[in-house]
């Protein structure tokens, strides 16, 4: 019993179409989907993988922290306000000095979202034959994503908690699998 040569040719053609799509188009589609998914993590202030995993809170939003409202503007104290004690006549520094580099907006801004959203907007994909790489050109992207020790404005070093925004994600894998299933169904219908 022989096989139908037309069916073999149709199947071979369909398989070639799937291979070409997986090699050429799928990396671009996956790259765009991944970048969109990872950028959305910034809006949610956490990493989506089997649900939302919120990032640790930042000190600039904690009223009890000395970093509360910090927004680096390059301000430096050039003079101090002094008060004079009415009884003794001695001068002393006023306790209510203007707080430098303070911004009320910084106390409300989302985590890892500066005014320009430069870290979020730096996420890019590089599509190659059959693969895709997600990257950022910001040198601090890895330390923000993975956590680690950093030097802070001459105050010594500080431990930065991990605030992952790029990585393996169940929800992203599900989206990609759905895209692949839809295309395969379209090709083999």
């Amino acid at each position: 019993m022989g096989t139908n040569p037309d069916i073999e040719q149709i199947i071979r053609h369909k398989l070639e179409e799937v291979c070409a799509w997986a090699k050429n188009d799928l990396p671009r589609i996956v790259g765009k989907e991944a970048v969109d998914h990872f950028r959305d993590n910034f809006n949610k202030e956490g990493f989506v993988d089997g649900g939302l995993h919120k990032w640790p809170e930042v000190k600039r939003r904690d009223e009890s922290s000395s970093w509360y409202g910090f927004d680096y503007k390059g301000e430096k104290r050039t003079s101090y306000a002094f008060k004079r004690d009415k009884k003794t006549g001695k001068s002393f520094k006023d306790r209510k000095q203007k707080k430098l580099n303070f911004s009320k907006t910084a106390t409300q801004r989302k985590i890892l979202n500066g005014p320009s959203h430069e870290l979020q907007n730096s996420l890019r994909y590089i599509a190659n034959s059959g693969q895709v790489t997600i990257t950022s050109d910001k040198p601090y992207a890895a330390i923000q994503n993975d956590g680690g020790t950093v030097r802070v404005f001459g105050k010594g070093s500080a431990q930065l908690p991990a605030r992952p925004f790029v990585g393996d994600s169940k929800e992203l894998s599900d989206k990609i699998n759905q895209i692949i299933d839809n295309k395969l169904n379209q090709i083999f219908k």
Side-chain angles (χ1 to χ4, degrees), residues 38-48 52-62 65 67 109-113 119-120 123 140-148 150 152 158-167:
F38 296 142
R39 283 182 179 166
D40 196 39
N41 287 332
F42 288 88
N43 298 326
K44 294 178 178 175
E45 295 186 281
F47 188 70
V48 177
L52 178 63
H53 302 276
K54 294 292 269 182
W55 291 330
E57 190 55 64
V58 290
K59 292 181 179 180
R60 69 175 156 74
R61 297 194 318 195
D62 177 5
S65 171
W67 290 96
R109 191 175 62 237
K110 290 186 175 206
I111 300 172
L112 295 186
N113 268 330
L119 180 57
Q120 177 180 357
L123 296 179
Y140 54 87
I143 196 83
Q144 290 288 4
N145 195 60
D146 305 329
V150 295
V152 183
Q159 188 65 28
L160 200 64
R163 292 189 175 97
F165 49 89
V166 172

Side-chain angles (χ1 to χ4, degrees), residues 56-177:
E57 190 55 64
V58 290
K59 292 181 179 180
R60 69 175 156 74
R61 297 194 318 195
D62 177 5
E63 289 187 39
S64 66
S65 171
S66 61
W67 290 96
Y68 178 68
F70 182 79
D71 190 17
Y72 183 70
K73 303 175 196 167
E75 295 178 335
K76 293 181 179 163
R77 191 168 305 285
T78 56
S79 64
Y80 293 90
F82 287 91
K83 282 192 170 182
R84 187 173 299 276
D85 187 313
K86 292 179 183 175
K87 292 180 184 175
T88 64
K90 291 184 178 180
S91 295
F92 58 93
K93 280 186 190 176
D94 187 359
R95 290 181 188 225
K96 295 187 178 183
Q97 301 287 330
K98 176 187 175 215
K99 190 167 183 179
L100 299 179
N101 297 307
F102 178 80
S103 167
K104 184 69 175 163
T105 306
T107 65
Q108 299 161 355
R109 191 175 62 237
K110 290 186 175 206
I111 300 172
L112 295 186
N113 268 330
S116 66
H117 302 280
E118 68 180 22
L119 180 57
Q120 177 180 357
N121 293 337
S122 75
L123 296 179
R124 301 276 186 271
Y125 69 89
I126 300 168
N128 292 315
S129 179
Q131 68 178 19
V132 65
T133 304
I134 308 301
T135 186
S136 169
D137 62 349
K138 299 300 173 197
Y140 54 87
I143 196 83
Q144 290 288 4
N145 195 60
D146 305 329
T149 304
V150 295
R151 286 209 30 89
V152 183
F153 301 115
K155 293 187 177 222
S157 58
Q159 188 65 28
L160 200 64
R163 292 189 175 97
F165 49 89
V166 172
D168 292 334
S169 166
K170 180 187 179 320
E171 285 80 353
L172 178 59
S173 293
D174 290 347
K175 287 180 200 175
I176 293 167
N177 287 336

